[in-house]
Amino acid sequence: MELTANGNIQDAAVKLAEKKSYRKPERRAAINPSGRFLIVAPVDDWLFEVVIGVEKQEGEEMGGVLITGDRPEGERETVSAVEPPKLSYGRGVAAMGKFMKYRSKSFFSAIVRRLSPHVQCDGYEYDDSDSSNNDVTEIKLSGLKVIVEMKSEPDKALKGIINLFSSDMGLAKEYEFLTEIGLGLRNVGGYINGAWKACGPVVSTVNPANNQVIAEVVEASIEEYEEGVQACFDAAKIWMQVPAPKRGEIVRQIGDALRDKLLQLGRVVSLEMGKILPEGIGEVQEIIDMCDFSVGLSRQLNGSIIPSERPNHMMLETWNPLGVVGVITAFNFPCAVLGWNACLALVCGNCVVWKGAPTTPLVTIAITKVVAGVLEKNNLPGAIFTSFCGGTEIGQAIAKDNRIPLVSFTGSSKVGLMVQQTVNERYGKCLLELSGNNAIIVMDDADIQLAVRSILFASVGTAGQRCTTCRRLLLHESIYQKALDQLIEVYKQVKIGDPLENGTLLGPLHTAASRNNFKKGIEVIKSQGGKILTGGSVIESDGYFVQPTIVEISPSADVVKEELFAPVLYVMKFQNLKEAIEINNSVPQGLSSSIFTQRPDIIFKWIGPLGSDCGIVNVNIPTNGAEIGGAFGGEKATGGGREAGSDSWKQYMRRSTCTINYGNELPLAQGINFG
């Protein structure tokens, strides 16, 4: 919950107490009478400390909330306790109503302990007198003794508290599997120089299937970004000197560690992003495949020997690491795109700075924990792989940072253009994976059943939130109605529901904003002459579900040129191959395309110079579901980047052409005689 300095703080405190105390009463952890909870929320110029706990007074448990606000200049204000509704002690969480004294110069003059079912609190000591004895607070946790110096280094104290108490009262039962991959109800969202730390805003990550909070994440601050990138930059000097096959061995171990947690990691991808479980598991498998690919690549980072026109001269190419590679990923593939980039970057000798999507921080943390464990096991600097959970501030910092020569960005064409401009201003390199507006063409000789199955997966998979989703379906006029009738029939059979349940084919959209964009998009479609053939509505539920939709529309409609990130398929007729290719190529984007036909002449025209202008040109398969062995990426407004297989690795290294004179003469190229 966000507390605002201008609002009624006491009302906010009561709501916060209710949220923490009553939401899942059957899953509360036991709390002792001196137990307290700490919530820190930066708002404008203020930092609020909210203390919720219980206090026994004259044999009774008293409830209340104490809020203190600290301005940067050190002024301290205390809001007196307010009484929440009556609380039952034992498995409930009440609130402490005791008024506490604070020293103005001390950022915290009390440490509060949030209990967990898994961590026992042996107690803490607190001196609330006005003397200077409260400058140091002692905490004892399960035999671990921690001293935090409050007065001299308040910022460090804040970070230490958040890091130390990153767990909460326990996850909801359906989310308990998260503990198997190192996640809890409160998670630290920065892996910096081999340590977990973060003191930025606290955000809640939401299950899009029911709009319920899964867990909380403390995001990294811009100061922690600076610390992390500098450590990563320094670690690059070590990592790039490790022989490439040895680097490949580390990536192999990362792949094995991911295999060990494949099901759990796939489940958290599905839970947090909203894609169905087979797709979530498949996404993690994609990183594993990239690890395998990169292990072999680590022994094949070959340069060329080039014949020289000069006697006693040798020309050759050498490939060296760039140093640090920045990777900014999107919510729809919260970890696979990291794998495309990081696996190649690491074997090429680069360190990695990763900013995951703000709405999928649990995936970012879980994958980072796997990588961090491998680095630690091999006594390598943790800073080789640095990750941040955060918003646009972190992304902008990566784009502007001269220490990061290559930035890989996945997202919309609009934002990608801004990233590219920022990186270009400092003469950095950009690798862009942006919007797609992909078409499937079904010719008159096509296997219609095969085409319909492919179209269903391409247009409905991941709820239409893949960059390779089929958004335009071009049907030859002679088979138009037959193919369309079959497609509408299978659309009506699509099971919509919880993405973690067996048999579900269509999960929710990722956010409430995505659902609103769907509604607005349908209105625009109708206003431009589109006819809804099936679907077209939001499904009323707690989650962000919408109906898979087929729209009959003209290829010249403006809305067809845009990417609506939802399961909306535009259907249109064509008369011949030339017209179909023109429609395919008529949009600003150029990511993926596919044609269904049995005729070799059509196939080779389609993949030739006058065929599809996309980076991915398929025949008799969907537009989505690319293998990692080929280079992935597109043209035009898709950005021109290439990731994953083929020779994409070359983008993560700098090429040097070396000419060596091993003779005693100095012949010049092009036969020039100079003096």
Side-chain angles (χ1 to χ4, degrees), residues 236 239-241 247 301 321-323 344-351 653:
W239 181 242
M240 64 176 56
Q241 295 183 72
R247 299 193 297 254
L301 302 173
L322 294 172
L344 295 183
L346 288 170
V347 297
C348 289
N350 303 295
C351 292
M653 304 193 82

Side-chain angles (χ1 to χ4, degrees), residues 118-256:
H118 311 292
V119 180
Q120 295 299 317
C121 179
D122 294 329
Y124 65 85
E125 298 174 7
Y126 167 63
D127 181 359
D128 66 353
S129 70
D130 290 330
S131 68
S132 59
N133 294 334
N134 60 356
D135 290 341
V136 176
T137 299
E138 182 177 293
I139 313 163
K140 298 175 182 176
L141 294 175
S142 300
L144 174 67
K145 187 173 180 180
V146 181
I147 302 292
V148 181
E149 299 209 0
M150 295 296 174
K151 186 175 180 180
S152 58
E153 296 180 292
D155 290 338
K156 182 180 288 188
L158 172 59
K159 293 176 186 177
I161 292 164
I162 293 176
N163 291 338
L164 190 61
F165 303 142
S166 59
S167 63
D168 207 313
M169 295 195 321
L171 292 156
K173 186 175 182 180
E174 61 267 33
Y175 305 147
E176 287 177 351
F177 76 93
L178 295 174
T179 61
E180 299 174 33
I181 47 178
L183 299 172
L185 198 57
R186 174 69 68 95
N187 304 276
V188 180
Y191 185 66
I192 298 161
N193 198 16
W196 288 96
K197 57 176 68 175
C199 67
V202 178
V203 298
S204 295
T205 181
V206 174
N207 179 353
N210 57 21
N211 196 25
Q212 295 296 311
V213 172
I214 304 167
E216 293 177 330
V217 172
V218 185
E219 293 184 332
S221 67
I222 198 64
E223 292 78 17
E224 285 158 337
Y225 166 83
E226 174 60 32
E227 178 187 350
V229 173
Q230 186 57 49
C232 192
F233 181 78
D234 294 339
K237 299 178 180 66
I238 299 171
W239 181 242
M240 64 176 56
Q241 295 183 72
V242 175
K246 297 295 184 183
R247 299 193 297 254
E249 166 59 19
I250 299 302
V251 172
R252 185 195 65 77
Q253 292 181 33
I254 292 171
D256 285 348

